[in-house]
Amino acid sequence: MSSSLDQIFIRIKQLLLAPLAGAPDWVMQIASALINIFALLGVFLTLFAIISVLERKILGRMQNRYGPNRVGPFGLFQPVADGIKMLIKEDIVPARADKVVHFLAPILIAATAILALGVIPYGRNMTPFAIDGGILFFFAVGSTTELAVFMAGWGSNNKFSMLGAMRAIAQMISYELPLIITTFPVVMVVGALSPDAIVAAQNGDSFGVLPHWFVTTPWGAAAFILFFVSGLVESNRTPFDVPEGESEIVAGHMTEYSGFKYATFFMAEYIGMFAISGLAVTLFLGGWHAPIRGLEFIPSYVWFFVKLSILLFIYIWARGTLPRTRIDQIMNFAWKFMLPMAFTCIIAAAVWHYAGRGVAGWFWSLAVLGVVYIALSILLDTRKRFATRTYRFAE
Amino acid sequence: MIPTLQLFLVVSVTLFSIGLLAALSRRHAIFILIGIELMLAAASLNFIAFWRFGPQPRPPTGVMIAIFSIAIAAAEAVVGLAMVIAVYRHYRTTNVDQFDRLKG
Amino acid sequence: MNSAAFVVIAILTLAASLAAASLPKLIHAALSFAVAFIGIAAFFFLLGAEFVGLVQVFVYVGAVAVLIVFTILLTRRDVQDTGKLNWGGAIIAIAVFGGLLWAILKTSALSIAAPQIEALTVKRIGGVLMTDYVWPLQCVGLLLTAALIGALILVMEDRNEG
């Protein structure tokens, strides 16, 4: 019974494809891909709508106020109101803007964000496009986002947009390195780039309670924290939202976009958030596996979305709590701290593997990480050292 | 038309000559770089087409050459663009016809 | 191998590269260049080398194209190329094209269809990279480090000493 509930979406898809049973191979492939795409878009666009109102309500509660609560019960129809507002706004394009580039930029950003969602396993047998180099596909598509951000900044023919775009690209390129390098330990230990294989390798548990997820190992925990922070930066979320800092450069590369195009940028940012959280769940938190063996009757996709929701809550929590960092602080952090720690995670993973994957491996890899962390803290000590204060009084 | 090896080679040769056109007939330094990158990509396409259509099973030599060529092309693009920036700082132009201080 | 896919990708790639070679505004040419490389990556997918296709998108579109647009931004004096075409270059390109095309069409041994192939997995590429090609791998690593340091030194601004 529980396994049929688990595979219910697969059964529905097979039911939908049954009328095409006699068709040639390529028709089946295209039909199957189309069903996958529509299901993906349906789920994630709904999730985007829900998250946009939930975020404002959670932020409001953290700031000791109600969030939006006028439209519908508890304000939950706010996305509908927002959508209607965005659609009926006048679409203003600057007169001397590069029309083609200005038009294509939001489309490209949204397209790359949605493409990245296609390789994440959402449940048992539920990866929309299971290709052999899935993780590489995710990062290849993610790196195309920078080009789209540049197009947005350039196409607006506006100095603030250009400045915002350059800052955004500098930030995204700097943090792409820790993002990708922290996935190397996982790929190394599993031996495959395919997300399905990575989730399958996190099967099983010790003593029935401690799951074999990679986040329960020291290198996995460190890599998860680094990956998560890099994900925060890649999606331009506070505390790293310098590119769209409202008090500094209006809306950065999105300044000259109004109405539906702005909504597309907004949607692309949230879908990027979903994609990175989804990948973090896949790589470190065990994908669609249940934490303890007793809870395995709950379907796999429910577990995936529960873990995804926890990560999204942490994103929103960070936004409500932390102030914005300066751009030079962001760059320093990336190149001087996160990159060495990311490389250390690779070494710690190798140490864990070769010391047997048991308790001894755990302690040795924790030692490697601890030594490097302490060394970096001492070397990068940026506390100001003040000279002793001399007081001079008029005599 | 069923894609035979000849068809892939025709596409690769067309790409190569378009890259050659860009590299030889434009005056802006960055255009020339774009042309060179197109030529390199056409050559990688050639290698992989020959690997795919050759007698199987065989070691993935063509694929490895393509991977290394992509890495080397990236390195060369980085250095080339750095040179364009450095030259621009002195000459304030990127028109290659005007880089003629060493002439004569 | 799908012939419809081949025709579509071929048209996309050749049109984009022609645009990259001939558009007067530099930014449009750089963006068409990115599209041309996505087309070439699609060719690699069609030929069964998916890993190379993904690396191509990653390196070229994600890094080289971004570098090119940044350089265009930093060297902004003449964003447009002069309109006149250099006929010498065009003639050489057409001559090379004609010669190579004649050579290909003459060689009848090349009109063969694709044989069946076992899928080239990333594991196999990794294995080959670490056994047969480990020396080229180390050399490429060294080359990339040298290129990185060299590029940094080239664009570092002269600090005023004193």
Side-chain angles (χ1 to χ4, degrees), chain A residues 26 98 100-101 131-134 136-137 139-141 143-144 146-147 150-151 154 162 165-166 169-170 173 176 180 190-193, chain C residues 2 25 27-28 30-31 34 38 45 50-51 54-55 57-59 61-63 65-66 69-70 72-74 76 79 120-123:
Chain A
W26 59 272
D98 203 336
V100 175
V101 173
I131 59 180
D132 197 25
L136 189 57
F137 176 85
F139 290 126
V141 160
S143 70
T144 317
E146 290 144 27
L147 205 57
F150 177 82
M151 281 167 69
W154 174 275
M162 204 62 251
M166 303 250 288
I169 297 179
I173 293 185
E176 218 178 287
I180 295 176
V190 173
L193 272 179
Chain C
N2 209 344
K25 290 190 78 167
I27 288 282
H28 292 169
L31 295 173
I38 295 182
F45 268 88
E50 288 126 1
F51 183 72
L54 290 172
V55 170
V57 172
F58 197 16
V59 169
V61 177
V66 174
V69 290
F70 255 100
I72 293 173
L73 213 58
L74 291 172
R76 250 221 270 189
V79 231
L120 184 68
T121 55
V122 179
K123 212 177 180 73

Side-chain angles (χ1 to χ4, degrees), chain B residues 1 3 5 21 34 44 51 61 66 76 78 80 82-83 94 103:
Chain B
M1 52 196 114
L5 179 57
L21 181 71
I34 288 179
S44 310
W51 166 76
T61 315
E76 162 248 329
V78 161
M83 280 202 284
T94 48
K103 199 183 206 176

Side-chain angles (χ1 to χ4, degrees), chain B residues 1-101:
Chain B
M1 52 196 114
I2 307 175
T4 62
L5 179 57
Q6 239 177 14
L7 224 47
F8 272 105
L9 293 184
V10 164
V11 169
S12 139
V13 159
T14 315
L15 214 53
F16 184 85
S17 37
I18 292 176
L20 193 59
L21 181 71
L24 288 180
S25 67
R26 303 292 287 216
R27 297 293 112 215
H28 199 285
I30 299 179
F31 267 113
I32 298 179
L33 252 147
I34 288 179
I36 294 177
E37 296 292 335
L38 275 171
M39 288 197 272
L40 275 167
S44 310
L45 185 60
N46 216 345
F47 272 114
I48 294 195
F50 270 110
W51 166 76
R52 176 71 172 88
F53 284 82
Q56 300 293 340
R58 69 206 293 211
T61 315
V63 175
M64 303 316 296
I65 292 182
I67 292 178
F68 284 121
S69 132
I70 291 175
I72 295 176
E76 162 248 329
V78 161
V79 176
L81 290 167
M83 280 202 284
V84 167
I85 295 179
V87 165
Y88 176 80
R89 288 214 188 111
H90 283 278
Y91 286 83
R92 306 304 293 178
T93 179
T94 48
N95 192 347
V96 293
D97 281 334
Q98 304 192 359
F99 301 158
D100 57 357
R101 293 278 177 85

Side-chain angles (χ1 to χ4, degrees), chain A residues 63-237:
Chain A
Q63 294 163 359
N64 204 13
R65 59 180 171 91
Y66 297 116
N69 62 356
R70 296 288 179 205
V71 191
F74 296 109
L76 284 176
F77 286 171
Q78 184 73 30
V80 178
D82 278 339
I84 296 177
K85 175 192 85 164
M86 289 291 186
L87 280 172
I88 62 180
K89 272 196 180 180
E90 178 190 358
D91 188 29
I92 306 176
V93 176
R96 300 212 317 177
D98 203 336
K99 300 264 183 312
V100 175
V101 173
H102 185 91
F103 181 75
L104 284 179
I107 297 177
L108 199 61
I109 281 194
T112 56
I114 297 178
L115 261 179
L117 286 172
V119 288
I120 302 174
Y122 297 108
R124 199 166 278 125
N125 303 332
M126 273 167 66
T127 315
F129 299 107
I131 59 180
D132 197 25
I135 307 279
L136 189 57
F137 176 85
F138 187 93
F139 290 126
V141 160
S143 70
T144 317
T145 312
E146 290 144 27
L147 205 57
V149 165
F150 177 82
M151 281 167 69
W154 174 275
S156 310
N157 199 19
N158 178 352
K159 284 195 179 53
F160 283 127
S161 298
M162 204 62 251
L163 203 57
M166 303 250 288
R167 281 210 237 179
I169 297 179
Q171 188 180 301
M172 288 167 90
I173 293 185
S174 312
Y175 277 88
E176 218 178 287
L177 265 175
L179 191 75
I180 295 176
I181 295 182
T182 44
T183 64
F184 285 175
V186 176
V187 172
M188 222 169 63
V189 164
V190 173
L193 272 179
S194 150
D196 282 326
I198 294 179
V199 170
Q202 298 183 62
N203 207 353
D205 45 32
S206 327
F207 319 116
V209 275
L210 187 68
H212 271 178
W213 300 347
F214 288 135
V215 79
T216 57
T217 60
W219 56 267
F224 173 64
I225 297 175
L226 290 171
F227 185 88
F228 194 72
V229 173
S230 307
L232 260 178
V233 183
E234 285 281 320
S235 2
N236 291 342
R237 296 276 296 180

Side-chain angles (χ1 to χ4, degrees), chain C residues 2-153:
Chain C
N2 209 344
S3 21
F6 176 80
V7 169
V8 167
I9 299 174
I11 293 178
L12 173 75
T13 311
L14 293 176
S17 54
L18 210 55
S22 61
L23 281 175
K25 290 190 78 167
L26 206 41
I27 288 282
H28 292 169
L31 295 173
S32 328
F33 164 83
V35 173
F37 275 99
I38 295 182
I40 298 180
F43 266 128
F44 289 155
F45 268 88
L46 200 61
L47 283 168
E50 288 126 1
F51 183 72
V52 188
L54 290 172
V55 170
Q56 168 104 349
V57 172
F58 197 16
V59 169
Y60 273 114
V61 177
V64 174
V66 174
L67 265 176
I68 287 182
V69 290
F70 255 100
T71 312
I72 293 173
L73 213 58
L74 291 172
T75 58
R76 250 221 270 189
R77 266 299 197 71
D78 22 32
V79 231
Q80 304 222 154
D81 213 13
T82 53
K84 42 186 174 53
L85 182 68
N86 182 6
W87 285 110
I91 291 178
I92 295 180
I94 294 177
V96 165
F97 175 60
L100 285 172
L101 198 63
W102 175 84
I104 291 174
L105 292 175
K106 273 297 234 166
T107 319
S108 59
L110 294 174
S111 14
I112 49 183
Q116 278 303 102
I117 182 178
E118 55 171 43
L120 184 68
T121 55
V122 179
K123 212 177 180 73
R124 184 149 171 246
I125 292 184
V128 167
L129 206 57
M130 281 295 165
T131 51
D132 296 330
Y133 291 90
V134 67
W135 284 118
L137 186 66
Q138 306 301 323
C139 291
V140 162
L142 214 57
L143 177 80
L144 285 168
T145 313
L148 183 68
I149 298 178
L152 279 173
I153 294 181

Side-chain angles (χ1 to χ4, degrees), chain A residues 284-299:
Chain A
F284 298 105
L285 290 175
W288 40 260
H289 284 299
I292 55 183
R293 212 175 296 155
L295 289 176
E296 264 171 26
F297 60 91
I298 301 180

Side-chain angles (χ1 to χ4, degrees), chain A residues 325-359:
Chain A
T325 47
R326 278 194 331 255
I327 186 77
D328 65 309
Q329 286 175 334
I330 298 177
M331 296 302 209
N332 261 337
F333 189 54
W335 292 102
K336 293 190 188 170
F337 178 76
M338 292 192 75
L339 202 57
M341 280 308 289
F343 281 121
T344 317
C345 285
I346 302 182
I347 299 178
V351 164
W352 176 80
H353 177 78
Y354 282 110
R357 292 183 177 193
V359 185

